[in-house]
Amino acid sequence: MLPYITLAAFELIIGVIILSGIIMVLFARKSSIRIVEVGPRDGLQNEPTNIPTNIKIELIDKLSETGLKTIETTSFVSPKWVPQMADNRNVFTNITKRKGVSYPVLVPNLKGLEAAMEVGVTEVAVFLSASEGFSKKNINCTVDESIAKTKTVISKALENNLKVRGYISCVVGCPYDGAVRPTAVSKVADALLEFGCYEISLGDTIGVGTKNTIDAMLLHVLRLVSSDKLAIHCHDTYGQALTNICTALDLGLTVVDSSVAGLGGCPYAKGATGNVATEDLVYMLHGMGAETGVDLKTLIQAGKFISDFLQRPSASKVNNAMYSRL
């Protein structure tokens, strides 16, 4: 005969089962996190002094030895607008490309795409802004106009069997327009997905996001785009990047952009500091029990290499704390 169970006890058991299921799902989602290293491109593009091509190549080669599977190498933009990336062809053609590692490049338009294809690029990234002010300042057109132009770039890339990743800038705040509505982000994300991007990176370009604003933005975007198609890209201007990344992980995202040594900034977003440091991200993820495939010690050495060249301390707290003990 089965023991008698009160209604309250039954409800408690059911609650425990549901909570356990939720925890198991979240753990499963967090157990393997792919890191997209953007330091060589998004990290270095705003450096005021010219960085020699051989230094960029050596940095990318060092990053290739860490276990990272995606390393954004350069951008095929006009040297008039981003002079730091003027050596894009030499950088891409001379890095040591390791098997199993993807080396995407950023392309702003058809001219950039064609130049990238000439050197054998297999993956490109395109970018749009969720805010009108940033779009006009950055690429001199409205959001709707930029969507139309980007569709042409993506179509040609796909016709040539290239993978395409999409970036959306200013997903919670803009240096010109202020707060950005989640509906504006969803509009751009939906377009990029429809055009054929395999993944969409949501960027807090000026680092103003908090747990609540990132949560609200993501919940809205997730109504249209599944979590396996999204990545989070956080700048650490106000020290909120790791918290905001955890918010994204809790909502099922498993791809995070970061920059070795916390390099970065944005030439069109005054006051924006670097991306979240890859070393700090890896330390946190490993502490959570997540798998990244990245060797932290090797990563720290790569971060120290570029910081020494730039003659300034690394922006990574983990690098500063651990390097002397390696």
Side-chain angles (χ1 to χ4, degrees), residues 32-232:
S32 181
I33 306 298
R34 181 167 65 88
I35 296 172
V36 176
E37 172 59 52
V38 300
R41 196 278 302 175
D42 194 29
L44 296 181
Q45 69 177 4
N46 203 38
E47 287 296 324
T49 58
N50 180 61
I51 299 172
T53 301
N54 66 299
I55 295 296
K56 296 176 184 176
I57 292 170
E58 188 170 354
L59 173 62
I60 295 167
D61 287 348
K62 287 180 179 295
L63 291 169
S64 294
E65 297 172 356
T66 65
L68 288 161
K69 297 302 181 185
T70 308
I71 304 170
E72 194 176 58
T73 59
T74 187
S75 60
F76 282 76
V77 296
S78 168
K80 175 183 176 181
W81 300 112
V82 188
Q84 192 66 254
M85 299 286 109
D87 58 355
N88 43 40
R89 290 172 180 264
N90 286 335
V91 169
F92 186 82
T93 55
N94 288 289
I95 57 175
T96 300
K97 299 176 181 69
R98 295 175 70 95
K99 185 177 180 180
V101 181
S102 179
Y103 299 93
V105 303
L106 189 74
V107 296
N109 48 38
L110 282 173
K111 184 177 180 180
L113 174 62
E114 290 165 356
M117 289 192 297
E118 287 174 3
V119 295
V121 166
T122 59
E123 179 178 342
V124 298
V126 297
F127 62 91
L128 293 168
S129 171
S131 76
E132 292 290 346
F134 193 80
S135 183
K136 291 173 183 176
K137 183 70 174 179
N138 193 2
I139 51 180
N140 198 32
C141 61
T142 67
V143 171
D144 285 341
E145 289 169 343
S146 70
I147 289 174
K149 291 179 180 179
T150 301
K151 180 179 181 180
T152 304
V153 176
I154 294 173
S155 295
K156 182 163 185 177
L158 295 177
E159 287 171 4
N160 287 274
N161 299 314
L162 272 63
K163 293 178 65 178
V164 184
R165 189 178 198 244
Y167 281 106
I168 304 179
S169 301
C170 299
V171 295
V172 290
C174 169
Y176 310 105
D177 297 345
V180 175
R181 297 187 309 276
T183 52
V185 184
S186 294
K187 170 186 173 180
V188 179
D190 189 40
L192 287 173
L193 185 65
E194 180 184 344
F195 296 161
C197 289
Y198 79 91
E199 187 170 275
I200 301 165
S201 176
L202 303 170
D204 180 12
T205 309
I206 56 175
V208 295
T210 63
K211 178 175 171 41
N212 285 351
T213 57
I214 293 292
D215 186 71
M217 179 273 297
L218 285 172
L219 286 173
H220 204 283
V221 174
L222 285 166
R223 296 176 187 175
L224 298 174
V225 184
S226 60
S227 60
D228 63 322
K229 298 288 187 181
L230 296 174
I232 192 72

